[in-house]
Amino acid sequence: MNMETSEIDQQVLNEMKSECDINVNETLKIIGGKWKLNLLWTIHDKSKRFNELRRELTGISQKMLTQQLRELEEAGLI
C-alpha cells in the first residue's frame, strides 16, 4: 500500500511540475522582450500618457511602444 501511495505522490508531483513549467513559459511569452518589463514597471504605480512613456523609456520607438502596449493590453495586463 505504501508503494502505491508513493507512486501516486510522484505522479502528482510530476503533473504539478509540468503545469508549473507551462505557466512559466506562458508568462515569459507575455512579458518577454526588451521593453515589456520596463514598460510595466514604468506604469505600475499610476497610468501615464503615451508621450510620457516615450520620454521615460529612452530609446523606444513610437512603433515599438505602440506594439508593446497593444500586446500587453491583449494579454489583459494593462
Side-chain angles (χ1 to χ4, degrees):
M1 189 72 163
N2 196 10
M3 183 64 157
E4 288 179 19
T5 304
S6 178
E7 289 175 14
I8 291 171
D9 290 346
Q10 188 61 43
Q11 182 179 3
V12 169
L13 286 174
N14 288 339
E15 288 174 8
M16 289 173 62
K17 182 182 181 304
S18 177
E19 187 175 318
C20 183
D21 289 345
I22 291 169
N23 291 336
V24 168
N25 289 334
E26 289 301 313
T27 301
L28 290 175
K29 285 180 189 176
I30 294 169
I31 64 169
K34 181 177 178 180
W35 295 106
K36 287 183 183 165
L37 284 178
N38 290 331
L39 181 54
L40 288 170
W41 178 254
T42 302
I43 62 174
H44 83 279
D45 56 347
K46 68 175 188 170
S47 59
K48 298 185 180 182
R49 296 185 177 274
F50 187 85
N51 284 327
E52 288 178 291
L53 293 172
R54 276 194 68 199
R55 280 192 297 274
E56 289 188 35
L57 296 169
T58 307
I60 192 169
S61 69
Q62 180 175 344
K63 180 181 177 181
M64 180 59 71
L65 179 56
T66 300
Q67 178 183 340
Q68 299 295 288
L69 287 168
R70 284 185 180 146
E71 290 176 11
L72 289 170
E73 185 177 26
E74 288 172 7
L77 295 176
I78 59 172

